[in-house]
Amino acid sequence: YIMKKTILLVVLVFAIIGGHAQEDKKRSRKEKRALKEAQQMEEIKAMLDSRSYVFRPNQVLPSGMRSRNLDGSFSAKIHNDTIDCYLPFYGRAYSAGYGSTDGPFTFKLPINNYTIEESKKGYMVKFDVKNKNDNINYTFHIGETGSTTLSLTSTNRQSISYYGNLEKPKE
């Protein structure tokens, strides 16, 4: 009888100790995730402040049309005061240039009015680009993990949105 109580007591003690050890592991996992998210936010903030980052879209949502998946060849590269933009356009053009073989969002031009605002769960970056006879407004909504929505409004075309990720530029 005493032996059964002793064994039961030992099993109970180990169960309690094991339960506390698992709680510590859970806490450390949560802490690790929070630390990783904080590091990602710091990296994103540093890229935005230095104006050196690349947006890689994986999906496009044209106004009034269904969304389309994109391959990895499209990008919008921001470097200092310049954007090197290569994004597809689907939708209505109110006026279009003649003789050009490039898309309306394929260019390398200077950036105007660059602003960064901190939001609840990330950042919002806005700037303008003047392209021949078109003004294009860029609005990036950047999440904590780098997931990004880019909305483009143009004076000569329907607005369009892209979903993708923000990356560090390759040197």
Side-chain angles (χ1 to χ4, degrees):
Y1 179 74
I2 295 175
M3 187 70 155
K4 283 184 181 179
K5 274 188 168 181
T6 307
I7 291 172
L8 185 62
L9 186 64
V10 168
V11 169
L12 188 62
V13 166
F14 278 115
I16 291 171
I17 291 171
H20 284 297
Q22 281 188 342
E23 280 183 34
D24 287 343
K25 279 186 181 178
K26 284 181 185 175
R27 265 193 225 120
S28 65
R29 255 191 231 135
K30 284 183 181 178
E31 289 170 359
K32 285 178 188 175
R33 186 181 313 125
L35 184 63
K36 185 178 178 182
E37 286 176 1
Q39 286 174 334
Q40 283 178 321
M41 285 297 288
E42 287 298 315
E43 285 178 20
I44 289 168
K45 178 74 171 137
M47 285 190 296
L48 297 178
D49 287 339
S50 69
R51 295 186 188 193
S52 183
Y53 51 94
V54 178
F55 170 67
R56 295 233 182 257
N58 51 38
Q59 194 174 38
V60 59
L61 183 61
S63 294
M65 301 172 81
R66 64 178 179 79
S67 66
R68 298 172 190 229
N69 292 327
L70 299 173
D71 64 14
S73 66
F74 297 103
S75 67
K77 299 174 186 171
I78 288 76
H79 184 68
N80 296 328
D81 291 332
T82 306
I83 181 168
D84 187 356
C85 188
Y86 178 59
L87 296 172
F89 177 75
Y90 304 96
R92 176 173 290 154
Y94 307 123
S95 72
Y98 293 103
S100 176
T101 57
D102 289 335
F105 300 136
T106 302
F107 50 77
K108 187 172 187 174
L109 293 169
I111 293 172
N112 305 313
N113 307 320
Y114 187 92
T115 62
I116 302 172
E117 295 176 28
E118 203 163 330
S119 63
K120 271 187 181 178
K121 294 192 175 187
Y123 298 95
M124 185 167 65
V125 175
K126 292 182 176 184
F127 58 84
D128 307 325
V129 172
K130 177 108 172 90
N131 184 11
K132 295 177 188 161
N133 61 346
D134 197 5
N135 289 321
I136 305 164
N137 299 324
Y138 284 74
T139 304
F140 289 91
H141 293 277
I142 303 155
E144 296 170 330
T145 59
S147 61
T148 303
T149 302
L150 168 60
S151 300
L152 294 183
T153 53
S154 164
T155 52
N156 293 335
R157 301 178 193 293
Q158 281 183 317
S159 62
I160 189 166
S161 295
Y162 303 87
Y163 303 105
N165 293 301
L166 215 62
E167 300 174 358
K168 286 183 180 178
K170 293 184 176 92
E171 297 301 323

